[in-house]
Amino acid sequence: MNPLQVFRDEIAKEIRAAIKTDTEFPIDEPPEGLGDFCVKCFQFAKQFRRSPVEISMDLETRFSNNPLFEKVEAKGGYLNFYVNRREMARIVLGTVLEEREKYGNGSKKGRIIVEHTSANPTGPLHVGRGRNPIIGDTLARVLRALGYEVQTEYYVDDMGRQLAILAWAYKNLGIDGEEKKGKKEDHVLVELYRKGNELFENEEKIRREIEAIIRQIEQGNREIIAYQRKIAEKCMKGIVATLERCNIHIDNFVYESEFLLDGSVYEVVERLKQSRHAGCEDGAYYIDLAPFGFHGKDSKFFFTRGDGTSLYTTRDIAYHLNKFSRCDVAINVLGEDHKLQAKMVAISLQELGVERKPEILFYSFVSLPEGKMSTRAGRVVYLDDLVEEAVAKAKEEILKRGRESKVDVDKVSVAVGIGAIRFNIVKIQPEKQIVFRWEEALNFEGNSAPFVQYAHARAASILRNGNVDIRKITYNAEHLRTPEEDALIKVLAKFPDVVDTAGEERKVYLIPQYLHKLAETFNTFYRYVPVLNAGEERETRIALVYATKCTLANGLQMLGIEALEEM
RNA sequence: GGGCGUAUGGCUUAGUCAGGAUAUAGCACUGGCCUCCUAAGCCAGCGGUCGAGGGUUCAAAUCCCUCUACGCCCGCCA
């Protein structure tokens, strides 16, 4: 249940009755100190040809004896609602204590596939595209919390030139036994990939050799495709290990070659040829994009080569048709470099008479102060290295505080390190560009995961010290007397709204933002309001602490960050 | 040349789609708080012509137009 909805429903009901309308109007939150909800009467002024001030004063009288509100006040055309604190507290504590780890969850229906990461299997994941798995996984978690059946999916490109180069290098260059020692598969392979690339660029003979392999792949040579896939899977082992370490689980891996091998790409090709916007140039087929508003260089989308073989985007279309058969909503998390390609997929689907479109969440790259990351140039920060650094830094912080005798150092440092990375990445809107700086990535204060985890640990600590049996928590709203308690109740009440918006509008950054606010509010409460040493308020304050702990834990769960009992 | 995106205090950032009351936080900086449930914390202070210029409106960070800077893309690559 959503506690705020109780109040909003009441406001909406009364106002609709008063102004005799069925139309929806927004119920907002006023600036600090002006109440809990507000309705802007300007919007009604035109319709009734009366001043907003008059309207608001009229409406004010309608709420004069409403038990849900302490005070309803017309002010300069706004109608401000001050909720009844006791009522709010009763509803919030009642709801959270009943729903516990389900507080904030929903009961939405539908199958959603979130495709994310889908990085080329030619080396380790790096921070440049590191937002992809984190945003994707977080969105999947939020949507699951809302009740959807969610599958996460990684589309593995096992047909590209990059992998062909790697596979060639693997077969022909071999691996130095010494170098391999103790290294993850993806890190071993990326060295081969780099060497292969160098040869591909500089040695004519080798380039021709690899290009011949690529042609064979495109023509559907099963033996070679199987080999490519084997190499891709080798690399995927390393990538998956990195993801799992970050609490990111992928449900399905779909290999691009499958759509060539099962013939579905060629069905797509045949159907696209029938489009009235299809054309042919030297045997290569394309869709003319001019009717769709494209000008200049990119006004043709080629979906076959001159020799009739398919292209990456064509196979992506086949993949989407397949995906649509398995879900109601398909969400793809993609780098901003895929915008044009995604548009071409969308147009092609339309040309195929498919009504559906994938929903796309684009993110901008994480770059380094010295520029864009590049695997080939070796100018990268690998996600594995970032994780290692973060965990090491977390450990350092634990030792600095002398907590090593009280906590499981390894467990806590992993939870804090991984959490810090995830939180820092997901808290920023995906379309904003990020410049990677170690000191920011490893910041454990303020708006960060450790801040939230710390608040959770403090709440846990109170319950532990008080020997609280969480199955028998009771409360009495009359015992809430401090402004710190009121503030906490109010923030707790907002959680279901936040989760709903984060999921439905695909704005995952709302969750960390909210958790920071909740943790901060709790910390202030913690500082000024004694719990275990309180008198008759003790039970109710314990309930409030527990409700906060549940909410923090629920939010952290959605971020894939561990809620620690101690740190 | 064309397309898409971004621009808010020294740095990072919310609010922009659905215009409205004092523009949200964090970092940094200054000052204060551990005889009391974990100081990865709390309190106070400092700091903003919301990229520039026009327009619409009773009201613009938010809508419209023009421009600038930065990022990404524009291959019968992936």
Side-chain angles (χ1 to χ4, degrees):
Chain A
M1 196 186 75
N2 182 334
L4 295 181
Q5 205 53 42
V6 176
F7 297 91
R8 282 195 294 244
D9 286 347
E10 180 72 7
I11 293 170
K13 191 187 84 190
E14 289 297 327
I15 292 185
R16 282 204 198 107
I19 65 175
K20 299 183 182 58
T21 175
D22 289 327
T23 54
E24 292 280 325
F25 53 87
I27 297 170
D28 302 309
E29 202 186 343
E32 200 59 38
L34 291 170
D36 304 291
F37 300 98
C38 71
V39 171
K40 296 158 186 163
C41 298
F42 307 89
Q43 59 192 315
F44 309 125
K46 230 169 214 163
Q47 192 184 342
F48 298 100
R49 296 208 196 141
R50 294 177 61 207
S51 81
V53 177
E54 277 177 359
I55 295 171
S56 64
M57 285 166 71
D58 266 11
L59 290 174
E60 182 192 294
T61 59
R62 185 138 192 136
F63 291 91
S64 52
N65 287 315
N66 196 311
L68 283 183
F69 303 100
E70 221 152 75
K71 185 171 75 169
V72 177
E73 191 176 49
K75 198 166 184 180
Y78 296 88
L79 191 59
N80 294 332
F81 296 83
Y82 296 74
V83 304
N84 180 324
R85 298 269 147 233
R86 304 282 164 275
E87 212 50 59
M88 172 76 102
R90 253 191 289 279
I91 294 170
V92 170
L93 290 176
T95 306
V96 185
L97 262 40
E98 193 198 315
E99 300 183 359
R100 299 178 189 236
E101 71 281 358
K102 300 256 184 266
Y103 179 59
N105 290 14
S107 51
K108 312 254 173 148
K109 298 273 177 284
R111 294 170 307 165
I112 300 180
I113 290 178
V114 177
E115 182 209 326
H116 70 77
T117 310
S118 301
N120 264 334
T122 52
L125 293 173
H126 63 75
V127 176
R129 291 182 184 274
R131 300 171 95 172
N132 198 323
I134 295 174
I135 293 170
D137 183 66
T138 307
L139 182 60
R141 285 166 180 268
V142 172
L143 292 170
R144 261 185 211 122
L146 285 176
Y148 295 107
E149 269 176 64
V150 180
Q151 292 275 296
T152 52
E153 199 152 296
Y154 190 125
Y155 184 52
V156 187
D157 174 9
D158 58 343
M159 292 198 58
R161 188 172 72 181
Q162 310 307 324
L163 182 64
I165 291 171
L166 169 63
W168 179 90
Y170 187 84
K171 199 171 197 171
N172 295 281
L173 303 179
I175 299 166
D176 187 327
E178 276 307 300
E179 277 183 23
K180 193 178 172 181
K181 235 177 145 191
K183 266 190 163 179
K184 277 174 73 221
E185 298 89 333
D186 46 346
H187 288 266
V188 174
L189 290 171
V190 75
E191 292 308 322
L192 280 172
Y193 171 67
R194 275 206 197 98
K195 284 182 203 161
N197 248 294
E198 228 180 279
L199 294 169
F200 183 86
E201 275 163 26
N202 302 321
E203 307 253 346
E204 184 67 27
K205 185 173 153 270
I206 290 172
R207 180 162 71 237
R208 276 205 297 270
E209 200 179 313
I210 295 173
E211 277 168 350
I213 294 172
I214 295 169
R215 267 195 300 282
Q216 299 248 41
I217 295 167
E218 281 153 3
Q219 283 159 6
N221 182 321
R222 289 182 181 253
E223 202 180 317
I224 297 182
I225 289 175
Y227 184 73
Q228 299 297 114
R229 174 155 176 165
K230 204 182 90 189
I231 302 299
E233 282 170 347
K234 221 178 242 303
C235 192
M236 286 306 295
K237 266 191 208 156
I239 290 175
V240 167
T242 304
L243 293 173
E244 293 286 349
R245 183 126 210 257
C246 297
N247 302 329
I248 297 167
H249 179 76
I250 308 276
D251 297 313
N252 312 314
F253 294 88
V254 178
Y255 285 76
E256 188 181 336
S257 59
E258 289 167 19
F259 302 102
L260 185 77
L261 296 177
D262 72 3
S264 58
V265 181
Y266 290 104
E267 275 171 45
V268 168
V269 167
E270 289 313 310
R271 284 169 66 193
L272 278 176
K273 282 181 185 170
Q274 307 304 313
S275 157
R276 63 201 169 103
H277 299 113
C280 185
E281 207 176 278
D282 302 328
Y285 284 86
Y286 64 85
I287 299 285
D288 181 14
L289 297 174
F292 300 95
F294 284 74
H295 309 286
K297 285 200 273 184
D298 50 3
S299 69
K300 277 179 189 155
F301 158 50
F302 282 90
F303 58 92
T304 76
R305 293 194 176 81
D307 64 3
T309 55
S310 68
L311 291 145
Y312 169 82
T313 306
T314 326
R315 296 187 290 267
D316 202 16
I317 296 164
Y319 170 43
H320 276 89
L321 293 177
N322 166 282
K323 224 196 275 190
F324 289 155
S325 73
R326 295 181 284 124
C327 67
D328 304 307
V329 176
I331 301 174
N332 304 344
V333 182
L334 294 176
E336 60 177 339
D337 55 336
H338 278 71
K339 280 183 183 173
L340 179 60
Q341 194 253 343
K343 222 177 232 175
M344 288 171 175
V345 169
I347 289 171
S348 302
L349 287 168
Q350 193 185 319
E351 287 304 287
L352 292 174
V354 178
E355 302 280 324
R356 299 169 60 181
K357 258 183 211 156
E359 211 184 288
I360 310 198
L361 203 61
F362 290 108
Y363 64 91
S364 298
F365 299 119
V366 177
S367 60
L368 293 170
E370 54 270 33
K372 198 179 167 183
M373 288 191 205
S374 158
T375 304
R376 256 179 284 177
R379 190 176 58 239
V380 287
V381 174
Y382 292 123
L383 202 49
D384 287 326
D385 296 332
L386 175 58
V387 166
E388 202 177 306
E389 284 288 330
V391 172
K393 167 97 187 301
K395 189 169 178 178
E396 199 181 294
E397 295 288 326
I398 295 166
L399 300 179
K400 199 167 89 190
R401 293 174 171 77
R403 300 283 300 164
E404 65 272 23
S405 59
K406 301 198 169 143
V407 301
D408 179 337
V409 178
D410 288 334
K411 177 177 152 12
V412 173
S413 48
V414 167
V416 168
I418 304 279
I421 293 171
R422 291 192 61 138
F423 195 97
N424 259 296
I425 286 187
V426 87
K427 77 179 180 188
I428 293 171
Q429 295 196 12
E431 55 270 20
K432 295 228 180 185
Q433 211 201 323
I434 298 180
V435 177
F436 179 83
R437 291 189 184 88
W438 282 104
E439 63 271 27
E440 276 171 28
L442 301 181
N443 170 34
F444 288 178
E445 281 159 18
N447 195 358
S448 70
F451 180 92
V452 178
Q453 288 170 310
Y454 185 66
H456 181 271
R458 279 177 142 184
S461 170
I462 291 177
L463 301 178
R464 203 169 43 241
N465 292 338
N467 287 316
V468 173
D469 182 348
I470 57 166
R471 287 161 304 182
K472 295 177 188 157
I473 292 177
T474 58
Y475 61 91
N476 177 352
E478 301 300 322
H479 289 161
L480 294 172
R481 310 203 157 91
T482 69
E484 287 82 9
E485 290 163 307
D486 287 344
L488 196 46
I489 290 283
K490 192 175 168 185
V491 176
L492 286 172
K494 291 178 183 171
F495 187 56
D497 262 7
V498 171
V499 178
D500 192 78
T501 310
E504 295 303 334
E505 297 186 19
R506 324 298 189 220
K507 292 179 176 174
V508 286
Y509 59 88
L510 294 176
I511 307 281
Q513 200 177 297
Y514 170 82
L515 289 179
H516 175 258
K517 180 78 188 156
L518 177 58
E520 186 184 48
T521 311
F522 177 73
N523 280 333
T524 302
F525 162 85
Y526 182 94
R527 163 73 179 75
Y528 292 103
V529 184
V531 176
L532 299 177
N533 298 327
E536 60 171 2
E537 305 95 340
R538 185 182 145 116
E539 269 304 304
T540 305
R541 287 182 182 166
I542 284 173
L544 187 51
V545 169
Y546 180 63
T548 305
K549 179 175 181 280
C550 285
T551 308
L552 286 169
N554 294 169
L556 287 170
Q557 155 68 24
M558 290 175 207
L559 297 182
I561 297 172
E562 205 181 331
L564 295 164
E565 293 294 312
E566 291 175 277
M567 65 184 276

